[in-house]
């Protein structure tokens, strides 16, 4: 299969944000598939305006420039791609059982038995003349450090080193991740939907959740994710479609996770 993602990889020591840099490349007409990696980001971004800060030289922080052959309405088909590629990489390489949290967080069960975030995805896009000009997939995976050094985060975030008990080969993780992304991207470009695969890995369907979305706090049962990537929240007989938000699982059902 043709290598699209990672045909060219530019490695940086320190940047403000690989996503910001990737947007500059996109604006300059760079073809799709370019991957930018950084050992350190001084202004790394997360979703919902949050910062993404990890110790220098410890983790995977990368952005991928894509120019998908998708209409604006179908751009959300790319949503599950990065989270699924991350999940497969950790499962196949390390035998872990990652759980996805909508929209794009990757969770692992820590030694204290709670699900904690180990990776996140930030998707940004550029539109021109009502068409998708570019999409940047920004991926952050916490690898070789310990959350014991970050007590404020340790209740809800983890690292692979904390889970596996030893440092890991970051280059090997990156290689497998890019290979997985290539496979998923080819499938999406061929018109395939990743919805069912995504739903199988989603740890919160059927569970009672609280969602902070667009300035509101909503509570209900996470019922489904539709083809556009929207979360369907059931509130009694009402159904609410959510396109963005931060989910907290109020009652965890271990069977589902
Ligand atoms: C999230 O979970 O909120 C998304 C985190 C995304 C972090 C990555 S690290 C590489 C890329 N550059 C950034 O500034 N952010 C993304």
């Amino acid at each position: 299969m043709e290598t699209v993602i990672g045909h060219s990889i530019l490695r940086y020591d320190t940047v403000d944000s690989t996503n910001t840099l990737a947007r500059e490349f996109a604006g300059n007409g760079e073809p799709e598939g370019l991957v930018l990696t950084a050992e350190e980001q001084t202004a790394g971004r997360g979703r919902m305006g949050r910062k993404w800060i990890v110790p220098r030289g410890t983790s995977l922080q990368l952005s991928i420039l894509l120019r998908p052959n998708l209409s604006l309405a179908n751009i959300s088909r790319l949503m599950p791609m990065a989270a699924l590629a991350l999940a497969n990489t950790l499962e196949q390489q390390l035998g872990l059982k990652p759980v996805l949290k909508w929209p794009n967080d990757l969770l692992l069960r820590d030694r204290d038995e709670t699900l904690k975030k180990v990776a996140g995805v930030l998707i940004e896009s550029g539109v021109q003349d009502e068409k998708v000009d570019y999409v940047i997939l920004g991926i952050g995976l916490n690898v070789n450090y310990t959350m014991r050094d970050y007590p404020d985060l340790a209740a809800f975030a983890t690292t692979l080193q904390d889970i596996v008990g030893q440092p890991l080969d970051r280059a090997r993780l990156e290689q497998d991740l890019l290979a997985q992304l290539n496979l998923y991207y080819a499938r999406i470009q061929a018109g395939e939907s990743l919805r069912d695969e995504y739903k199988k890995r989603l740890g919160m369907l059927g569970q009672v959740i609280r969602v902070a979305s667009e300035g509101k706090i909503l509570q209900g049962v996470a019922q489904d994710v539709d083809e556009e990537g929207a979360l369907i929240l059931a509130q009694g007989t009402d159904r609410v479609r959510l396109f963005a938000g931060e989910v907290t699982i109020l009652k965890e059902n271990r069977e589902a996770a």
Side-chain angles (χ1 to χ4, degrees):
M1 199 187 71
E2 189 200 356
T3 300
V4 177
I5 295 175
H7 64 76
S8 166
I9 303 180
L10 297 178
R11 300 190 182 280
Y12 292 84
D13 192 41
T14 304
V15 296
D16 52 0
S17 153
T18 53
N19 261 41
T20 306
L21 199 57
R23 287 171 84 146
E24 282 170 29
F25 275 98
N28 291 332
E30 182 75 22
E32 72 169 351
L34 174 71
V35 176
L36 306 178
T37 74
E39 292 298 315
E40 177 182 49
Q41 297 187 112
T42 53
R45 297 197 290 279
R47 290 193 319 113
M48 314 203 40
R50 283 188 294 244
K51 291 182 181 156
W52 185 267
I53 304 170
V54 299
R56 173 191 183 76
T58 62
S59 294
L60 292 193
Q61 302 186 97
L62 54 89
S63 296
I64 299 151
L65 165 60
L66 298 175
R67 297 191 187 276
N69 184 16
L70 292 174
S71 68
L72 208 47
N74 281 329
I75 194 171
S76 54
R77 285 177 178 268
L78 288 174
M79 268 247 302
M81 168 176 150
L84 284 173
L86 277 162
N88 282 359
T89 300
L90 301 191
E91 190 169 81
Q92 288 170 19
Q93 199 178 113
L94 304 170
L96 300 174
K97 291 265 165 282
V99 172
L100 302 187
K101 182 177 137 193
W102 180 88
N104 258 325
D105 285 354
L106 204 84
L107 312 179
L108 288 171
R109 202 168 285 287
D110 204 355
R111 283 150 194 238
D112 66 5
E113 288 295 302
T114 21
L115 284 170
K116 295 181 184 174
K117 176 163 171 172
V118 71
V121 181
L122 176 67
I123 301 181
E124 297 176 322
S125 54
V127 174
Q128 218 166 32
D129 303 328
E130 312 215 337
K131 281 207 186 113
V132 181
D133 181 27
Y134 66 83
V135 174
I136 310 292
L137 282 188
I139 301 176
L141 171 65
N142 301 338
V143 187
N144 290 333
Y145 65 104
T146 174
M147 280 298 166
R148 285 195 292 279
D149 294 337
Y150 299 86
D152 294 354
L153 301 177
F156 49 88
T158 189
T159 68
L160 289 181
Q161 181 181 311
D162 280 345
I163 298 286
V164 174
Q166 63 185 49
L168 295 160
D169 182 344
R170 284 190 297 149
R172 206 173 144 227
L173 285 166
E174 183 193 283
Q175 199 179 24
D176 283 3
L177 175 62
L178 295 181
Q180 285 288 338
L181 284 164
N182 257 302
L183 291 173
Y184 280 117
Y185 193 51
R187 287 171 56 188
I188 291 172
Q189 292 282 59
E192 215 181 298
S193 162
L194 303 181
R195 178 181 175 213
D196 289 346
E197 210 172 314
Y198 177 73
K199 276 175 61 175
K200 272 193 208 138
R201 287 210 182 260
L202 207 57
M204 55 193 230
L205 292 183
Q207 303 194 0
V208 180
I209 60 167
R210 186 168 53 215
V211 193
S213 178
E214 292 163 4
K216 286 190 220 143
I217 306 279
L218 302 166
Q219 196 166 311
V221 176
Q223 196 184 45
D224 200 359
V225 173
D226 70 15
E227 203 57 73
E228 264 120 55
L231 177 68
I232 311 296
L233 187 73
Q235 295 182 307
T237 51
D238 290 344
R239 300 286 175 269
V240 186
R241 280 180 92 211
L242 298 170
F243 285 93
E246 183 62 30
V247 172
T248 309
I249 296 173
L250 297 180
K251 271 193 223 148
E252 195 196 337
N253 170 357
R254 288 289 296 267
E255 295 305 303

